[in-house]
Amino acid sequence: TSLVKSIVATFAQVGLLSGICLIVGTMIGSGIFISPKSVLLYSGSVGPCLLIWTACGVLSTLGALCYAELGTMITKSGGEYPYLMEAFGSIVAYLYSWTTVIVLKPSSFAIITLSFAEYTATPFYPGCTPPTVIIKLIIVAINCISVKLASYVQNFFTAAKLVIILVIVVAGIVLLAQGKTQNLSNAFDGSSMSFGAIGLAFYNGLWAYDGWNQLNFITEELRNPYRNLPLAIIIGIPLVTVCYVLVNIAYFTVLTPSELLVSPAVAVTFGDRVLYPLSWIVPLFVAFSTFGAANGSCFTAGRLAFVSGREGHMVKILSYVSLRRYTPSPALIFNGILSLFYIIPADINSLINYFSFAQWAFYGLTALSVIVMRFTRKELHRPVRVPIVIAALIVVVSCYLVLAPIIDQPELEYLYCTIFIFGGLILYYPFVYLKPRWARRIMRPITMHLQLFMEVVPPEDCEPEDPMKSVKF
């Protein structure tokens, strides 16, 4: 389509180094600064905690290799959406887009901004939280005003997050050299994990690794994807894994397990004890990191909404772009409004569990599509071909992560998530499958008024004078 051509024409060619930076920059967000205490809580002691962090990195790498096969076999935009469409048909792809656009993207955005609020408030307002609504509005405005501005903001905050990771790791190495190993000795004492607790520990660990599939969103812009996509995965994700394990070891050189569990902001507590009087740099750079992750989440949120709107799985207005700014402002604003509802509980851990439950159901289906298409789409060219046992392992692990916490400790949040997913079928049959004329008559004036109000147009009608000012996501 003309839109895809304009996107490809305007994106700079992404090489191997840029691909690695994209993976690393997207994965390192708020999780490593928020999740450590939750992983420790559910794992029971230091030893299993570190093993789970390592296992999460291995699992993310294997999952990303499955995505490498899919991304080089089906070079279409939209992440998991085209893979599910090819393997399982329109209904499964619709349920994915419905769940992701309505639940997963906004809840992810909410989690990251809550983390930003927590780390911003801790050093200045103990026990208080700044208004997360303001944070969200700033991020949405940045992405609606200019794609260039959003990308510059993202680059700055990616550098900031790498700086704070390096500071914490170097401080931990120095402390280990000084003999601060009390909390690491007898690391497996007191370990007692249940069937469901392991799943919840993995939920929180894998939340910190989320973003390993982002390179699939730019497969069309990746230079020599058959070589660079798998290489970026093999280099980038293990690099993040090493960083995460070293950061956790650094935490334990200063904090006992009980101190880490009661800390409202683990990295800030670490900074107060190790870096004083320069401890203020930790909350500052952690806030930079979480703000950058929120900006990146918002930056990519419009792509799936756009593709779904173009395929008729979402309302058409979500596939429109700003006539002046050439940004997907309707999809971005829609994502920002929805995310406001997810900050009402203000409980980061429950939101992580809620997010991971639904997300890993679709990760498992996407890995299953690798196996299914080995038999149903044998004619497709597969430049990258992973052993089928890896895809099967990801499917089994995904089933465990989805079912174990529900079996061990059923909670209403899982029921709500399931209702969200299958509730989409109520809208699919009458509005997507049948496409009644009366629905189009109702939506046409609504779309027209929103189009006039927001100054947006279908992408095929958006032809900027400067060829470099095309639609980007």
Side-chain angles (χ1 to χ4, degrees):
T1 65
S2 60
L3 175 67
V4 173
K5 290 179 181 178
S6 68
I7 293 175
V8 174
T10 53
F11 267 127
Q13 288 294 308
V14 178
L16 176 60
L17 181 60
S18 297
I20 295 171
C21 291
L22 176 64
I23 291 176
V24 174
T26 306
M27 290 177 68
I28 300 177
S30 63
I32 188 59
F33 310 113
I34 292 294
S35 295
K37 59 182 179 181
S38 298
V39 175
L40 178 62
L41 174 65
Y42 292 116
S43 60
S45 60
V46 174
C49 176
L50 296 177
L51 288 178
I52 286 175
W53 278 103
T54 305
C56 287
V58 173
L59 184 61
S60 298
T61 304
L62 296 178
L65 289 175
C66 293
Y67 275 62
E69 174 173 329
L70 293 168
T72 54
M73 180 176 64
I74 304 171
T75 55
K76 294 181 180 178
S77 301
E80 290 91 341
Y81 184 82
Y83 313 147
L84 297 175
M85 179 78 80
E86 290 284 345
F88 305 111
S90 178
I91 293 179
V92 175
Y94 166 78
L95 289 178
Y96 168 75
S97 64
W98 158 264
T99 307
T100 304
V101 173
I102 302 298
V103 179
L104 298 185
K105 283 293 185 181
S107 66
S108 175
F109 193 26
I111 292 168
I112 297 170
T113 51
L114 283 172
S115 302
F116 176 86
E118 183 170 335
Y119 270 89
T120 304
T122 299
F124 304 108
Y125 307 99
C128 301
T129 302
T132 52
V133 173
I134 302 300
I135 300 168
K136 291 177 182 294
L137 292 177
I138 292 172
I139 295 170
V140 171
I142 288 171
N143 283 270
C144 288
I145 289 170
S146 170
V147 173
K148 276 190 175 181
L149 176 60
S151 63
Y152 291 154
V153 168
Q154 187 65 25
N155 291 341
F156 173 78
F157 287 114
T158 297
K161 69 182 68 179
L162 293 176
V163 168
I164 191 60
I165 288 288
L166 182 63
V167 168
I168 294 174
V169 169
V170 170
I173 292 173
V174 171
L175 291 170
L176 285 174
Q178 294 175 350
K180 305 287 186 179
T181 60
Q182 303 94 315
N183 297 326
L184 297 173
S185 58
N186 302 318
F188 290 87
D189 289 353
S191 301
S192 58
M193 295 187 294
S194 66
F195 181 77
I198 296 175
L200 290 172
F202 269 95
Y203 270 4
N204 287 274
L206 288 167
W207 159 247
Y209 283 93
D210 196 62
W212 51 263
N213 61 334
Q214 293 302 300
L215 204 56
N216 286 68
F217 284 87
I218 63 161
T219 303
E220 297 170 10
E221 294 77 54
L222 190 63
R223 187 186 302 122
N224 191 8
Y226 309 137
R227 169 184 177 271
N228 290 340
L229 181 59
L231 273 179
I233 289 168
I234 293 171
I235 296 171
I237 301 178
L239 177 62
V240 174
T241 304
V242 171
C243 289
Y244 280 3
V245 173
L246 290 177
V247 166
N248 276 276
I249 292 174
Y251 288 155
F252 287 119
T253 60
V254 175
L255 302 172
T256 65
S258 58
E259 288 174 336
L260 191 145
L261 288 174
V262 299
S263 172
V266 180
V268 172
T269 304
F270 176 87
D272 288 340
R273 298 193 180 185
V274 176
L275 302 175
Y276 186 83
L278 298 177
S279 57
W280 56 268
I281 68 171
V282 175
L284 175 64
F285 277 85
V286 171
F288 284 170
S289 177
T290 52
F291 188 92
N295 182 72
S297 174
C298 187
F299 187 75
T300 60
R303 172 161 276 184
L304 178 59
F306 167 81
V307 175
S308 301
R310 186 179 60 189
E311 295 293 330
H313 285 174
M314 288 287 163
V315 291
K316 199 70 175 176
I317 189 69
L318 293 181
S319 68
Y320 286 15
V321 295
S322 171
L323 185 60
R324 296 185 179 184
R325 304 290 183 180
Y326 311 111
T327 57
S329 52
L332 292 168
I333 294 171
F334 181 69
N335 178 69
I337 292 172
L338 283 179
S339 65
L340 294 176
F341 292 99
Y342 290 95
I343 66 171
I344 294 175
D347 186 343
I348 293 174
N349 291 328
S350 67
L351 281 175
I352 290 174
N353 296 338
Y354 187 40
F355 169 80
S356 300
F357 167 75
Q359 187 66 77
W360 275 93
F362 288 109
Y363 285 161
L365 281 174
T366 306
L368 182 61
S369 70
V370 174
I371 301 173
V372 170
M373 285 192 282
R374 289 283 180 92
F375 300 97
T376 61
R377 301 301 303 273
K378 294 180 180 180
E379 76 281 2
L380 293 176
H381 178 52
R382 292 172 170 82
V384 177
R385 192 180 182 94
V386 299
I388 199 168
V389 66
I390 292 180
L393 176 63
I394 297 300
V395 172
V396 171
V397 172
S398 299
C399 291
Y400 171 78
L401 291 174
V402 170
L403 296 177
I406 300 176
I407 296 172
D408 185 70
Q409 191 176 359
E411 295 183 4
L412 286 177
E413 61 188 10
Y414 304 122
L415 176 62
Y416 296 153
C417 189
T418 304
I419 292 173
F420 262 115
I421 295 173
F422 292 100
L425 293 174
I426 298 174
L427 300 176
Y428 177 83
Y429 183 75
F431 297 108
V432 178
Y433 182 77
L434 293 180
K435 298 180 180 177
R437 291 183 178 179
W438 62 266
R440 291 199 294 269
R441 285 197 298 267
I442 293 174
M443 287 303 300
R444 190 175 294 114
I446 296 175
T447 301
M448 183 185 69
H449 284 90
L450 286 174
Q451 186 177 352
L452 292 172
F453 176 72
M454 302 176 70
E455 296 184 337
V456 294
V457 295
E460 57 268 19
D461 296 337
C462 188
E463 298 180 356
E465 296 177 2
D466 183 352
M468 295 304 293
K469 294 182 180 178
S470 288
V471 182
K472 295 183 182 180
F473 292 89

